[in-house]
Amino acid sequence: MVGSAASADHPGKRLNEVTAEKEPGFEAIFRPGPDLVTEDGETLSLEDFAGRILVVNFRQASCTEACDAQHQRLAKTVTSLNAGPMREMVGFVTVVEDAADIDTLDAENWSMVRSQGGLEDLEARLAAVSERSDEATMIHLFDRQGRHVGIFHGTDFEPLNLLMHINGLTNAHPHPEPEGILDRALGWFE
């Protein structure tokens, strides 16, 4: 009975649906994630983040107000997340142009990667899966298996809702749950 009460508020398999109800800017997607190669040759391989959730956003030098607002909200999410045990399970990467000058948090799990060109192409490749035609800034989410699983569009999202979605991704089972009693029993021996 204690276990059922603790899991009652967790969205589980309904994670995307619950997040979309709370955040109009959320879009669920599902595709294999590409390696993120910057123009200066630095590669962020999704394999480097295997077993961890990856959160990626972009910061062009020409983007000011919208990117500032997104950065501030993302910083609130990182600060909240890092106050608990999830900090080891999640990596944040902001890809910036050389000319971009932004303040960063002193967080071991938030990296800034500088791109000397081609940032728009890299950003466009990730945005291409979106069914939305807006030009809003985006935050891309990758699950523990390196799949591109969601986009937060714009700057009006609540940092807590992004945090809750990331939490849901960290709790997602990497393999399907066993269907029956025999499957569960056999699973104990794997």
Side-chain angles (χ1 to χ4, degrees):
M1 205 158 36
V2 173
S4 63
S7 64
D9 291 335
H10 196 279
K13 292 180 181 178
R14 296 185 53 242
L15 178 63
N16 290 335
E17 180 184 340
V18 170
T19 302
E21 288 172 1
K22 294 178 180 181
E23 285 295 338
F26 174 73
E27 178 181 15
I29 56 174
F30 189 82
R31 73 162 186 164
D35 282 344
L36 308 174
V37 181
T38 63
E39 193 67 21
D40 60 356
E42 187 167 349
T43 302
L44 288 173
S45 174
L46 294 179
E47 290 178 6
D48 295 340
F49 293 90
R52 296 173 63 201
I53 305 303
L54 176 62
V55 181
V56 177
N57 71 314
F58 296 88
R59 180 69 187 254
Q60 296 184 25
S62 62
C63 181
T64 55
E65 287 182 31
C67 290
D68 287 343
Q70 182 189 66
H71 187 77
Q72 290 171 1
R73 291 185 180 280
L74 189 56
K76 287 180 183 178
T77 302
V78 173
T79 300
S80 296
L81 183 134
N82 286 350
M86 282 196 304
R87 72 180 159 272
E88 303 297 324
M89 296 181 260
V90 183
F92 295 86
V93 175
T94 298
V95 183
V96 299
E97 284 183 322
D98 259 354
D101 184 27
I102 58 175
D103 293 328
T104 60
L105 286 177
D106 186 22
E108 291 180 20
N109 60 341
W110 193 359
S111 305
M112 301 292 162
V113 175
R114 296 207 178 269
S115 175
Q116 296 174 348
L119 180 67
E120 290 177 11
D121 179 56
L122 180 60
E123 189 173 11
R125 282 191 299 130
L126 287 179
V129 297
S130 175
E131 294 181 1
R132 300 184 186 188
S133 61
D134 61 11
E135 295 290 324
T137 58
M138 298 179 191
I139 296 174
H140 301 272
L141 303 171
F142 298 85
D143 68 8
R144 293 184 293 175
Q145 291 76 40
R147 294 177 298 229
H148 194 184
V149 294
I151 300 173
F152 273 72
H153 293 266
T155 61
D156 294 332
F157 67 91
E158 286 297 322
L160 179 61
N161 290 334
L162 176 57
L163 177 65
M164 296 305 292
H165 193 82
I166 292 169
N167 181 45
L169 291 173
T170 63
N171 288 314
H173 297 284
H175 305 289
E177 286 291 323
E179 295 292 324
I181 295 172
L182 180 59
D183 291 333
R184 288 186 190 137
L186 293 175
W188 293 334
F189 298 104
E190 291 181 356

